[in-house]
Amino acid sequence: MESPAAASPRVPRLWPFKRVYYGWAIVWASTVAAFGMAPMFGPVLGVFFSSIEEELGWDRATISLAFTLGSATGSVMQFLTGRLLDRYGARMVVVAAGIIIALAMVGLSWMHEPWHFWLAFGAGRGSALAGIQVGTGVALSNWFIRRRGRTIAIRGMGQRAGQSIMPMAIFAIMAVAGWRMAFLSLAGVTAILIILPALLYLRRRPEDLGMTLENMTPEELAEMNSGRGGRGSLGRLSRQVRDVSFTLAEAKRTRAFWLLLFFVIVERFALGSINLHMVVNFEDRGLAQGLAVSTLSIFAATSALTGLPWGFVFEHLHIRYGAMIMSGLLALSMVVLLVADNYPLAVLFAVLFGVAIGAGNIIENLLWADYFGRDHLGAIRGFGAPFRIASPTGPVLTGLLFDWTGSYTVPFVVFTVIFMVMTAAMYFATPPVKPAESGGG
């Protein structure tokens, strides 16, 4: 029987697979955009550290401040874009973000003063976080529920693939033409990968095109929302699939909302710092630049390859337990990083960290969507943005501590403790029950 996607005259003409649920076009566009935004993340920026230090004479705190400003900008922008995503969808938000990122790359190729760097990278990273990362996450959550884990995992694979492939390409361009040409080359790549797919394929929700969520029948939707649509055979650990949404006001009255917000704040505080300083840390430990960059590619490739298996796991395992597992793996990887003074240990860290981040790519999106539903997802995620202003301070504080002490030991110990506390926070973050359901079965 023909699917609703095939029957709908509102499916964009350039989507060639008329009998395939149009949600997979959203996955395609989101994954390509995630690949294209990779230069705005710490692992890729870290490749430029040594070259910028040598030519412009900036210390690591100065360089790290650009990353911090970008993350703070993303938090502010997310507060503004959250409601836009609920009302209008991700299409134009992602397109606008792609334009800003491309212009930022051009600006970075011309920079001579620290404020040039802070302004250009800040605008680009803020757009990547609030426009592309959040925008595509909301889009996928709006189009999928039973397969939400795997689709968000696929998008995460795109991001990590970009972080795996781009560093070596950048390293090659820098060796031939310098770091400025590397930034200029990235401008064209990001423009093509982000703007065109988003403009052509992203749409707000299946209902806008006359479809149902995942092409489910009315009977399937009713069964899912009755609580009989849970999947997996793991008992209380399994993820129950329900399309029940909390308003922002209802979510704020739950303990889980504030514990989840704490979780993502401290997670980004630590992860942003580690991603940014990873390569230069290994260079300081005596690794050649090529080997140090290769650990980044190993981490990103591991993250990309493990993302999809994690996605399938999270379609059966409740995301709360997935978050606890991820936090434990991050703590273990930090123990290795603290003693990693040779290449084999650096590779071991990269693999452990990559496995954890492979899960982390999925977890934040599933946390909010699985706990609070999709109808007000943009507003719920946007509300937490001002609280996340603390997260971007991690990279610059790490740079300052290095400049003062000549070592990354202190910040890395702090991050180990943070990951342990995150595990405890998720233990207490039991999923809430919507007030109107509290008397139901």
Side-chain angles (χ1 to χ4, degrees), residues 382-411:
F383 174 82
F387 297 91
R388 298 178 67 169
I389 292 296
S391 299
T393 61
V396 72
L397 290 175
T398 300
L400 285 170
L401 284 170
F402 177 87
D403 291 337
W404 291 338
T405 67
S407 169
Y408 286 113
T409 299
V410 172

Side-chain angles (χ1 to χ4, degrees), residues 30-328:
S30 298
T31 302
V32 175
F35 185 100
M37 71 173 177
M40 294 290 94
F41 286 76
V44 177
L45 178 61
V47 178
F48 291 92
F49 251 80
S50 297
S51 298
I52 293 174
E53 279 184 312
E54 290 176 9
E55 180 174 328
L56 300 178
W58 302 344
D59 60 27
R60 292 186 189 177
T62 298
I63 299 173
S64 300
L65 183 57
F67 191 85
T68 294
L69 292 173
S71 299
T73 302
S75 295
V76 174
M77 290 174 65
Q78 185 177 330
F79 181 75
L80 299 174
T81 60
R83 295 185 185 276
L84 292 176
L85 291 168
D86 286 338
R87 186 169 183 179
Y88 301 108
R91 186 184 185 188
M92 297 315 298
V93 171
V94 173
V95 168
I99 293 171
I100 294 171
I101 290 172
L103 293 175
M105 289 290 155
V106 174
L108 290 170
S109 71
W110 294 343
M111 67 181 180
H112 291 280
E113 300 293 335
W115 71 267
H116 299 162
F117 186 35
W118 299 336
L119 178 63
F121 191 83
R125 178 165 170 79
S127 299
L129 293 175
I132 300 175
Q133 190 171 61
V134 174
T136 57
V138 169
L140 291 172
S141 295
N142 280 339
W143 280 84
F144 291 91
I145 186 165
R146 295 179 299 187
R147 297 178 178 86
R148 188 178 283 163
R150 74 187 71 177
T151 59
I152 290 176
I154 292 169
R155 188 208 62 170
M157 291 172 65
Q159 180 179 334
R160 294 306 171 186
Q163 293 178 358
S164 176
I165 295 169
M166 286 190 184
M168 300 309 295
I170 291 167
F171 185 68
I173 295 172
M174 287 169 59
V176 175
W179 62 270
R180 294 183 185 276
M181 181 55 67
F183 273 128
L184 194 59
S185 300
L186 288 173
V189 171
T190 56
I192 294 170
L193 293 178
I194 297 171
I195 298 170
L196 287 179
L199 188 62
L200 295 175
Y201 296 115
L202 285 184
R203 298 296 184 271
R204 190 176 73 109
R205 290 180 181 172
E207 293 85 351
D208 295 342
L209 299 184
M211 305 177 195
T212 60
L213 182 62
E214 290 194 27
N215 277 353
M216 285 187 279
T217 65
E219 293 76 17
E220 288 175 320
L221 288 168
E223 180 182 11
M224 179 184 65
N225 291 333
S226 71
R228 299 190 299 274
R231 300 183 63 179
S233 57
L234 299 173
R236 292 180 62 191
L237 299 184
S238 64
R239 173 176 176 261
Q240 189 178 58
V241 179
R242 302 184 70 187
D243 191 23
V244 175
S245 294
F246 287 67
T247 66
L248 174 58
E250 290 168 342
K252 287 192 295 183
R253 288 194 288 268
T254 68
R255 179 179 66 182
F257 176 87
W258 298 104
L259 286 174
L260 265 59
L261 185 58
F262 169 80
F263 180 91
V264 298
I265 288 171
V266 297
E267 178 201 31
R268 289 299 144 193
F269 178 88
L271 292 185
S273 305
I274 297 164
N275 287 339
L276 183 62
H277 293 272
M278 181 193 312
V279 171
V280 73
N281 166 71
F282 288 130
E283 291 179 18
D284 293 341
R285 296 287 185 96
L287 270 64
Q289 187 180 30
L291 291 178
V293 171
S294 75
T295 62
L296 169 57
S297 293
I298 291 169
F299 140 69
T302 302
S303 175
L305 292 173
T306 57
L308 189 57
W310 276 123
F312 283 107
V313 168
F314 293 151
E315 289 179 358
H316 298 270
L317 180 69
H318 196 282
I319 199 63
R320 173 188 174 209
Y321 297 96
M324 292 169 65
I325 293 170
M326 180 202 74
S327 301

Side-chain angles (χ1 to χ4, degrees), residues 269-270 273-274 281 285 330-339 349 398 401 405 407-421:
F269 178 88
S273 305
I274 297 164
N281 166 71
R285 296 287 185 96
L330 287 172
L332 179 61
S333 72
M334 291 307 300
V335 172
V336 175
L337 183 59
L338 282 165
V339 298
F349 160 77
T398 300
L401 284 170
T405 67
S407 169
Y408 286 113
T409 299
V410 172
F412 287 173
V413 169
V414 171
F415 301 151
T416 306
V417 174
I418 283 175
F419 295 139
M420 293 177 179
V421 174

